[in-house]
Amino acid sequence: SYGLWLTGFNGMLRRFQEETGVKLQRDNITLKTADGQMYVNAEADDSNRSAAQGLIAFVLWGVGTLAGTLLAGKLLAANRYAAAIGTLHYNWYWNWMIPAIFAAGVMIVFGLLFREPAKKT
């Protein structure tokens, strides 16, 4: 989704970029939540499963959302032009490029380090 927003919402593709970017972001959030819940269901025993699900929800939706909001605000402030260029007040290229690079880095690290756990017998 960051890659679509990175292109700048210009011309005839603007509506496609906006709608596709939002849908990709929505799907990403849904998959992250579902994956976390499935992992907890597989790893936690019955006695602490609901507590573990609450913890993963708090980490993903509470701490993760707070951290993302704070970092996005700092990024936006760092990429504000000193003087507006026409109606443009922010360098939107870097406001989307930095999260895109971070997301790519996370994907690479995850791909290199993730190993399927051995099946329980």
Side-chain angles (χ1 to χ4, degrees), residues 10-117:
N10 293 321
M12 294 173 47
L13 294 176
R14 181 181 179 127
R15 185 170 176 92
F16 169 78
Q17 290 170 308
E18 289 172 344
E19 290 180 3
T20 305
V22 168
K23 289 175 184 174
L24 285 171
Q25 194 71 5
R26 177 203 62 206
D27 293 345
N28 178 28
I29 292 167
T30 301
L31 286 173
K32 175 181 68 171
T33 303
D35 288 346
Q37 294 299 326
M38 289 188 313
Y39 177 78
V40 167
N41 284 341
E43 295 297 319
D45 60 18
D46 291 339
S47 65
N48 63 3
R49 183 169 291 141
S50 61
Q53 287 176 340
L55 177 64
I56 196 81
F58 172 71
V59 169
L60 292 175
W61 291 105
V63 177
T65 302
L66 176 63
T69 300
L70 294 175
L71 289 172
K74 289 188 180 298
L75 180 64
L76 193 64
N79 287 299
R80 183 176 176 86
Y81 291 128
I85 302 171
T87 60
L88 192 61
H89 296 276
Y90 297 97
N91 183 344
W92 288 108
Y93 178 83
W94 286 108
N95 276 327
W96 293 114
M97 178 60 87
I98 292 170
I101 292 169
F102 180 75
V106 169
M107 184 177 66
I108 290 167
V109 169
F110 181 80
L112 292 173
L113 299 180
F114 178 77
R115 298 293 175 258
E116 185 70 31

